[in-house]
């Protein structure tokens, strides 16, 4: 029993952090709001060797949306890898060519570890091989420097929408099921 006015219960699948079995509507509402908060506030890590671009992006992202939290910045792939492992961001904005470990190598290591973070490449190189490698590694977008603010905004919004889509589908299914129970 949900304890609400209707007193109904709902049967759920183990999706979006919900346990299998019967879940009451109060618990569902709590989990739904928790999931909404998780994908509304997008934690972002910036991995870029050019200090001016790194600092500029870190200052710009919260101005684009207060939902974008810059969890940290790194100047190369090795530093970025450590930061990503520590912070578990939803999104990584990365450059391809950096001293030490490059961005594609860093992303390859993250994927081999099973890290599901989304990635947006920000690069001065329009070489097809870089773009192909980025696509193979599942990046959300490949932006060329200098990037326009509007273009970055669009990519961030699209990435946030893609990140929330599975939860929306699951929560919509549960909501429809609960209403028709």
């Amino acid at each position: 029993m949900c304890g609400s006015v209707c007193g109904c219960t709902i049967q759920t699948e183990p999706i979006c952090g919900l346990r299998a079995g019967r879940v009451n509507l109060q618990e569902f509402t709590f989990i739904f709001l928790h999931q909404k908060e998780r994908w509304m506030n997008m934690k972002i890590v910036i991995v870029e060797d050019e200090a001016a671009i790194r600092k500029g992006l870190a200052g710009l992202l919260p101005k684009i949306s207060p939902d974008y939290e810059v969890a940290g910045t790194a100047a190369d792939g090795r530093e970025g890898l450590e930061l990503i492992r520590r912070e578990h961001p939803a999104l990584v904005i990365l450059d391809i060519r950096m001293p030490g470990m490059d961005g594609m190598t860093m992303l390859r290591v993250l994927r081999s570890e099973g890290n599901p973070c989304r990635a947006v490449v920000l690069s001065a190189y329009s070489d097809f091989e870089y773009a192909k490698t980025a696509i193979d590694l599942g990046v959300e977008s490949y932006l060329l420097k200098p990037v326009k603010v509007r273009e970055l905004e669009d990519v961030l919004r699209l990435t946030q929408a893609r990140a929330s889509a599975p939860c929306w589908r699951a929560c919509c299914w549960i909501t429809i099921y609960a209403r028709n129970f």
Side-chain angles (χ1 to χ4, degrees):
M1 299 289 269
C2 73
S4 68
V5 176
C6 67
C8 67
T9 59
I10 55 175
Q11 190 73 27
T12 65
E13 296 297 319
I15 47 180
C16 283
L18 295 172
R19 294 184 305 276
R22 296 176 97 56
V23 177
N24 68 48
L25 289 180
Q26 287 175 334
E27 183 178 6
F28 166 74
T29 301
F30 172 77
I31 292 169
F32 176 79
L33 292 174
H34 172 72
Q35 290 293 332
K36 181 179 177 188
E37 179 181 309
R38 196 171 97 202
W39 39 255
M40 287 290 289
N41 296 320
M42 188 162 57
K43 190 188 274 193
I44 302 171
V45 164
I46 301 164
V47 184
E48 166 66 58
D49 62 327
E50 295 180 48
I53 294 173
R54 190 173 59 245
K55 290 176 184 173
L57 280 172
L60 177 65
L61 294 176
K63 290 178 185 173
I64 291 174
S65 172
D67 293 335
Y68 302 152
E69 172 195 346
V70 178
T73 64
D76 63 49
R78 281 192 181 84
E79 188 182 328
L81 198 54
E82 292 173 18
L83 181 63
I84 293 163
R85 286 172 176 158
R86 185 174 63 244
E87 294 295 330
H88 306 285
L91 174 66
V92 177
I93 298 175
L94 65 131
D95 192 1
I96 290 181
R97 298 204 45 195
M98 296 180 283
M101 181 186 287
D102 66 55
M104 292 297 103
T105 302
M106 181 193 75
L107 196 52
R108 222 178 262 109
V109 170
L110 288 169
R111 296 300 183 239
S112 72
E113 294 174 352
N115 190 310
C117 70
R118 295 177 182 273
V120 171
V121 172
L122 184 62
S123 180
Y125 299 94
S126 60
D127 186 308
F128 177 73
E129 284 305 311
Y130 286 132
K132 183 182 178 307
T133 302
I135 290 167
D136 291 344
L137 291 170
V139 301
E140 297 294 313
S141 190
Y142 191 101
L143 299 173
L144 291 175
K145 295 176 187 175
V147 66
K148 294 179 173 80
V149 174
R150 181 67 180 170
E151 187 179 18
L152 180 61
E153 285 177 1
D154 291 345
V155 166
L156 292 171
R157 285 192 181 100
L158 181 60
T159 300
Q160 194 170 22
R162 285 177 181 158
S164 66
C167 286
W168 271 114
R169 281 194 296 273
C171 292
C172 287
W173 178 84
I174 291 169
T175 301
I176 290 166
Y177 184 79
R179 287 183 182 156
N180 295 317
F181 188 76

